[in-house]
């Protein structure tokens, strides 16, 4: 009987040793209360960062997309919309994080970490894509822009408006040179017009019928356009890659808090 009691006592002692004691929420250097405080501060930073990313993306869509119809691929537009989506996640995600921290609900915290990871991927993807496209856009435009001018002007309203706006803003004429307009479908339709009116130094109706240097701009638009797009892509790349660092910190702290909440006592 004594031996049986000893065995039972030993088994109970072994079980007690295996059970990990639950810790106080202020135990260890990275306590639950400390992590909650850090994540509350992070939520404020993340909210303002999201508003900034959203503002850059919306500004790109609203004011810098006037020439997007002239680009051969939709990459530039995709970068802007990725930033808009990533920035728009800032407000609801900050609210979700605050609710999860207040209630210490592990499901809310888990969703919060997943969406932080998605935000990181969106911002890093937009920044990386902008960096890649900044290098590739010059060759792309050199290969396609002149053909876009000559084949679609006056046939596609969106492209026509973009070309006229570009020639007026950059004070240029034609993609490469002003003489290219004589090979366009638009010129064949009205041979008396040598260049579009938007090429003129002073724009008036049918002023493009005379291509004297005193009347029109002789410089092609392609170099101005390439520099314009590349400069803005550098901004988008910096915003995307730079801001993608922020959600990573929140993701790591939220993961640690998620694991710690399970093992603490009130």
């Amino acid at each position: 009987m004594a031996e049986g009691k000893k065995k039972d006592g030993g088994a109970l002692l072994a079980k007690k040793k295996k059970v990990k004691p639950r810790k106080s929420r202020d135990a260890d250097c990275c306590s639950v209360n400390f992590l909650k405080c850090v994540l509350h501060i992070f939520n404020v930073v993340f909210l303002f960062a999201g508003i900034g990313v959203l503002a850059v993306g919306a500004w790109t869509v609203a004011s810098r997309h006037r020439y997007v119809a002239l680009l051969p691929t939709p990459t530039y537009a995709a970068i802007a919309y990725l930033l808009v989506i990533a920035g728009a996640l800032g407000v609801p995600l900050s609210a979700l994080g605050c609710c999860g921290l207040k209630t210490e609900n592990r499901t809310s915290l888990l969703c919060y970490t997943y969406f932080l990871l998605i935000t990181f991927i969106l911002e890093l993807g937009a920044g990386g894509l902008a960096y890649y496209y900044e290098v590739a856009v010059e060759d792309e435009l050199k290969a396609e822009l002149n053909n876009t001018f000559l084949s679609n002007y006056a046939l596609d309203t969106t492209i026509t408006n973009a070309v006229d706006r570009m020639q007026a803003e950059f004070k240029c004429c034609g993609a490469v040179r002003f003489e290219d307009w004589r090979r366009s479908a638009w010129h064949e339709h009205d041979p008396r017009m040598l260049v579009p009116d938007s090429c003129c130094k002073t724009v008036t109706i049918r002023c493009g019928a005379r291509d004297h240097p005193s009347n029109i701009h002789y410089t092609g638009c392609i170099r101005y356009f390439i520099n314009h797009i590349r400069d803005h892509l550098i901004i988008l790349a910096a915003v995307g890659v730079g801001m993608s660092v922020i959600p990573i910190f929140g993701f790591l702290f939220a993961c640690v808090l998620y694991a710690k909440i399970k093992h603490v006592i009130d």
Side-chain angles (χ1 to χ4, degrees):
M1 291 289 292
E3 289 181 3
K5 287 181 180 179
K6 285 182 180 179
K7 288 181 180 179
D8 292 340
L12 288 172
L13 184 62
K15 286 182 180 179
K16 287 181 181 179
K17 287 182 179 179
K18 288 181 181 179
V19 176
K20 293 183 179 179
R22 293 168 68 84
K23 297 181 179 180
S24 166
R25 61 179 48 251
D26 288 318
D28 300 332
C29 58
C30 290
S31 65
V32 170
N33 288 339
F34 171 77
L35 289 170
K36 287 174 69 174
C37 180
V38 169
L39 282 170
H40 275 302
I41 296 171
F42 167 81
N43 272 331
V44 175
V45 174
F46 182 71
L47 175 62
F48 284 105
I51 292 172
V53 171
L54 177 61
V56 171
W59 168 63
T60 302
V61 172
S63 65
R64 312 308 263 181
H65 269 211
R66 55 185 180 270
Y67 301 133
V68 76
L70 302 176
L71 294 169
T73 62
T75 308
Y76 181 79
I79 294 167
Y81 287 119
L82 282 175
L83 289 178
V84 169
I85 294 170
L89 285 173
V91 175
L93 197 50
S94 295
L96 176 63
C98 288
C99 290
L101 292 172
K102 184 177 181 179
T103 60
E104 294 187 8
N105 185 289
R106 296 180 80 230
T107 302
S108 297
L109 284 173
L110 187 62
C111 294
Y112 180 62
T113 57
Y114 282 144
F115 279 109
L116 282 174
L117 185 60
I118 290 170
T119 303
F120 164 75
I121 292 170
L122 287 173
E123 291 177 346
L124 185 64
L129 195 59
Y131 176 78
Y132 162 78
Y133 195 52
E134 189 269 331
V135 177
V137 70
E138 182 170 355
D139 292 335
E140 186 178 279
L141 287 174
K142 284 180 177 178
E144 298 292 338
L145 186 62
N146 195 38
N147 183 58
T148 302
F149 270 49
L150 303 184
S151 301
N152 297 286
Y153 187 80
L155 301 177
D156 186 312
T157 303
T158 303
I159 290 178
T160 301
N161 292 336
V163 170
D164 285 337
R165 194 180 295 114
M166 179 188 293
Q167 292 186 146
E169 180 179 346
F170 296 144
K171 302 185 186 306
C172 56
C173 188
V176 180
R177 59 185 67 84
F178 75 94
E179 294 101 325
D180 291 337
W181 282 115
R182 297 179 187 177
R183 298 185 287 107
S184 67
W186 164 81
H187 175 69
E188 291 176 4
H189 180 71
D190 187 356
R192 291 174 296 177
M193 292 293 292
L194 301 178
V195 296
D197 292 340
S198 56
C199 285
C200 299
K201 294 180 178 178
T202 302
V203 178
T204 57
I205 297 175
R206 298 190 68 82
C207 63
R210 191 168 72 92
D211 61 0
H212 191 273
S214 63
N215 185 49
I216 69 166
H217 301 289
Y218 268 30
T219 309
C221 297
I222 190 167
R223 179 49 53 190
Y224 296 111
F225 188 40
I226 289 172
N227 291 338
H228 170 83
I229 292 295
R230 291 185 69 176
D231 288 346
H232 195 62
L233 284 169
I234 290 172
I235 295 173
L236 296 180
V239 170
V241 174
M243 290 300 186
S244 68
V245 176
I246 295 176
I248 280 297
F249 286 102
F251 174 80
L252 294 175
F253 282 116
C255 285
V256 175
L257 179 61
Y258 175 83
K260 275 186 169 289
I261 285 177
K262 184 178 180 181
H263 301 291
V264 299
I265 57 175
D266 294 330

